[in-house]
Every structure is written in structure tokens, then in C-alpha cells.
């Protein structure tokens, strides 16, 4: 009978130390989260990364959504590959020099699903974090999977000293309740909340120029007030956004003059001020 191969046991402190070592050139680590799926976390992560890079920051994105990675497509880097060197795994370099790491860069094609149970997911994430060579960075944005369950918890706990979390919501009442859960989730993990971004807030119709509050209005501000956290800004609904995301084009680069791109620059400014203080 073949002997069962046992993985060598490694104490968690040792793994954490090596992850910390890999991330030592990273100044600020920002997690993007929401208790709710489909509110635009990945879209916000991708475009905030571009906005920060546009402002001269060295930026990287970690797509921590192993089951539904969408960052490569939204950042115009679909089909690319990370490559291994003696110095570790080198991220893909996207528009404006933003470095990107996603499990998608390791799968044979974009329809291959990741079928892993929790422990495998944790191991894969640990392995990734222990091996990526990020180099020197100002900002590492982490696109967390949706919800407040096992997956976001594991990721959030594995990355040491997260600088803060940005919580994404849409204006509807239903999403407000779930968002409060992710605010409490961040608080329990002792991750400071940098603020709330309201996505899909209002649609300006090209035919009459009027703004229609498709999912209601003011929800993001209201929840920020209730939770005692900052409101960072809102991003309008824009059909060009979903079109770009579907086509694999980076929205911020394609439409730099759009109201949404301008909002991202405002939000980036606020994030920089909040994290780096007034020395900017
Ligand atoms: N402001 C917007 N205007 C138009 N479409 C948008 C906007 N924001 C996001 N979308 C579209 O909505 C969909 C969901 O966005 P996204 O994938 O970023 O959400 P998510 O919160 O990351 O989802 P998941 O929970 O599955 O990770 C995408 O198809 C995206 O193109
Ligand atoms: Mg996502």
C-alpha cells in the first residue's frame, strides 16, 4: 500500500512571518469589502487603483476573490500570466503600472472554476501571499470576496496590519442592512474603516439630462452617519462601465473625463489625505 504523503506541519507564526516579510515593502494595505455581492467591489478596487496610480502612487491589486476573480478583466489584463523567478512570483503589470495578482492568472482558461473547500482556499491564499514579490509599493488594494463568511475572514486575518477598509454599498435600503454587517465585521477584526463608497448612485439619462435615482438616494451617506464613519463619495451608474467591464477594457483609462472617473480621483484624494495625513 502506498504511504500517505503528509504535508510538513508549519506553525502559523512562521507562515505569518514570511507573509509579513513579503509585504515589508508595502506602505499601506487597504481592503475593499461589502457584506453584499454584486455591488461593485471589484469595479471600485480596479478603478481606485488606477486613480491612485494616476496621482503618482505605486499601486498593486490583490484579487482575493478566488471563486469569482473579475479583477483581470476589469483592469484590461485578462489572459496574462504571473511568472515565477528566483525572487518570487512576479505580478502582472497593468495600465498605469498597476501590479496585479489574481488566481485567474494561474488557471488554464477563464471558464475553469476553482473548486476548493475552505482549507484548500486558505492554503492557496497563504502560498500566494508567501510567494508574491510585490516590490516597493505605496498602496496594495485587496479585493475581498463578498460577505462576512469564511473566505473574507481568512484573507483578512492572513494579511498582517491592514491599514484600513473601504466599504462599498449601493443606495438601496436592502443593501444598507448588509453593509452594516461588514462594518461590524471590520470592527471585530480591528481593521479601521476608512469610509464608505456608494456605487450605482443615480443614472443621468443621456436623452433628457435628468438624474434618476434607480436604487434610491443618499443611502451611503445615511449609513456612514449611522455607523460614525466617513463618506468617501459616490459613483454613478453608467452603461459605459458595464460595457468596459464586459469587454475587458479598463474604464478609468477609457473614459478619464467621465463623472465616474472624476469621482474616483476625488475618492483617491480623500483616501490619500486620510491615510497619509496633510503632508501631501
Ligand atoms: N457604477 C456602475 N455602473 C454600471 N455598471 C456597474 C457599475 N458598478 C458595477 N457595475 C457592473 O455591475 C456588476 C457587478 O460589479 P462587480 O463585479 O464590481 O461587483 P462585486 O461587488 O465585486 O461582485 P461580487 O460580489 O460578485 O464580487 C459588473 O457587471 C459591473 O460591470
Ligand atoms: Mg467582485
Amino acid at each position: 500500500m502506498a504511504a500517505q504523503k503528509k504535508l510538513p506541519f508549519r506553525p502559523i507564526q512562521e507562515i505569518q512571518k514570511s507573509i509579513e516579510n513579503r509585504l515589508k515593502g508595502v506602505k499601506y494595505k487597504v481592503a475593499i469589502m461589502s457584506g453584499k455581492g454584486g455591488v461593485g467591489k471589484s469595479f471600485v478596487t480596479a478603478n481606485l487603483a488606477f486613480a491612485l496610480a494616476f496621482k503618482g502612487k505605486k499601486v498593486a491589486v490583490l484579487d482575493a476573490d478566488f471563486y469569482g476573480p473579475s479583477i483581470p478583466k476589469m483592469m484590461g489584463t485578462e489572459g496574462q500570466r504571473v511568472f515565477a523567478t528566483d525572487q518570487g512570483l512576479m505580478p502582472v503589470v497593468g495600465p498605469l503600472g498597476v501590479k496585479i495578482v489574481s488566481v485567474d492568472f494561474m488557471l488554464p482558461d477563464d471558464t475553469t472554476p476553482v473548486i476548493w473547500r475552505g482549507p484548500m482556499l486558505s492554503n492557496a491564499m497563504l502560498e500566494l501571499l508567501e510567494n508574491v514579490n510585490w516590490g516597493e509599493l505605496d498602496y496594495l488594494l485587496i479585493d475581498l470576496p463578498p460577505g462576512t463568511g469564511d473566505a473574507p475572514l481568512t484573507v483578512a486575518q492572513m494579511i498582517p496590519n491592514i491599514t484600513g477598509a473601504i466599504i462599498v454599498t449601493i443606495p438601496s435600503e436592502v443593501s444598507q442592512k448588509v453593509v452594516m454587517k461588514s462594518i461590524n465585521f471590520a470592527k471585530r477584526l480591528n481593521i479601521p474603516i476608512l469610509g464608505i463608497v456608494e456605487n450605482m448612485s443615480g443614472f443621468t439619462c443621456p436623452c433628457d439630462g435628468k438624474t434618476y435615482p434607480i436604487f434610491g438616494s443618499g443611502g451611503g451617506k445615511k449609513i456612514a452617519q449611522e455607523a460614525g464613519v466617513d463618506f468617501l463619495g459616490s459613483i454613478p451608474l453608467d452603461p459605459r462601465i458595464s460595457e468596459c467591464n464586459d469587454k475587458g477594457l479598463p474604464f478609468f483609462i477609457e473614459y478619464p473625463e467621465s463623472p465616474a472617473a472624476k469621482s474616483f480621483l476625488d475618492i483617491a484624494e480623500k483616501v490619500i489625505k486620510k491615510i497619509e495625513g496633510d503632508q501631501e
Side-chain angles (χ1 to χ4, degrees):
M1 205 167 77
Q4 235 180 349
K5 204 178 159 196
K6 267 196 174 170
L7 284 173
F9 170 78
R10 291 175 65 209
I12 189 82
Q13 290 87 342
E14 187 189 312
I15 301 172
Q16 275 171 338
K17 254 231 137 65
S18 81
I19 293 177
E20 214 170 310
N21 201 35
R22 276 288 183 203
L23 291 166
K24 68 174 185 293
V26 181
K27 282 194 196 146
Y28 312 111
K29 289 162 260 177
V30 176
I32 319 293
M33 56 172 86
S34 173
K36 206 164 159 53
V39 295
K41 286 178 297 299
S42 303
F43 165 66
V44 169
T45 309
N47 290 274
L48 181 59
F50 289 137
L52 286 165
F54 186 80
K55 287 189 172 284
K57 301 293 175 188
K58 285 194 220 101
V59 186
V61 171
L62 170 64
D63 182 357
D65 190 347
F66 271 32
Y67 295 117
S70 41
I71 285 291
K73 197 159 187 180
M74 290 184 178
M75 300 191 80
T77 52
E78 203 181 18
Q80 297 206 31
R81 288 272 172 269
V82 285
F83 64 96
T85 68
D86 291 349
Q87 281 81 43
L89 217 52
M90 304 313 275
V92 162
V93 180
L96 301 179
V98 176
K99 294 178 179 173
I100 308 160
V101 166
S102 168
V103 70
D104 224 26
F105 297 141
M106 296 165 216
L107 297 174
D109 59 66
D110 63 1
T111 53
T112 304
V114 168
I115 308 173
W116 287 331
R117 289 189 191 279
M120 275 172 86
L121 176 107
S122 306
N123 284 338
M125 184 49 92
L126 282 174
E127 213 169 309
L128 201 64
L129 287 170
E130 278 192 270
N131 287 296
V132 175
N133 183 342
W134 296 104
E136 298 288 315
L137 289 177
D138 295 309
Y139 288 88
L140 172 64
L141 304 189
I142 306 142
D143 180 23
L144 284 183
T148 51
D150 207 29
L153 183 66
T154 333
V155 178
Q157 284 179 331
M158 279 170 195
I159 299 169
N161 313 318
I162 294 183
T163 315
I166 292 177
I167 301 193
V168 182
T169 184
I170 57 169
S172 78
E173 278 294 322
V174 199
S175 82
Q176 304 306 303
K177 292 218 169 65
V178 204
V179 165
M180 207 44 137
K181 285 190 187 175
S182 53
I183 292 176
N184 291 329
F185 174 81
K187 283 185 179 163
R188 288 229 191 131
L189 290 171
N190 290 322
I191 302 176
I193 296 163
L194 296 170
I196 291 185
V197 169
E198 183 180 273
N199 187 30
M200 308 191 187
S201 60
F203 168 68
T204 307
C205 181
C207 1
D208 58 10
K210 283 187 193 161
T211 298
Y212 295 91
I214 310 271
F215 294 117
S217 63
K221 263 192 188 142
K222 201 170 125 206
I223 195 101
Q225 262 166 9
E226 268 173 37
V229 298
D230 282 353
F231 181 68
L232 296 173
S234 47
I235 317 287
L237 262 173
D238 186 333
R240 292 174 297 181
I241 292 176
S242 40
E243 197 188 309
C244 275
N245 292 341
D246 285 347
K247 282 189 180 158
L249 298 169
F251 173 78
F252 185 89
I253 313 291
E254 295 288 313
Y255 296 103
E257 294 303 320
S258 63
K262 289 192 173 144
S263 290
F264 277 114
L265 286 171
D266 280 354
I267 294 169
E269 190 73 49
K270 283 193 186 138
V271 169
I272 294 170
K273 271 231 164 83
K274 188 141 188 160
I275 294 183
E276 301 182 34
D278 288 330
Q279 70 264 39
E280 275 301 302

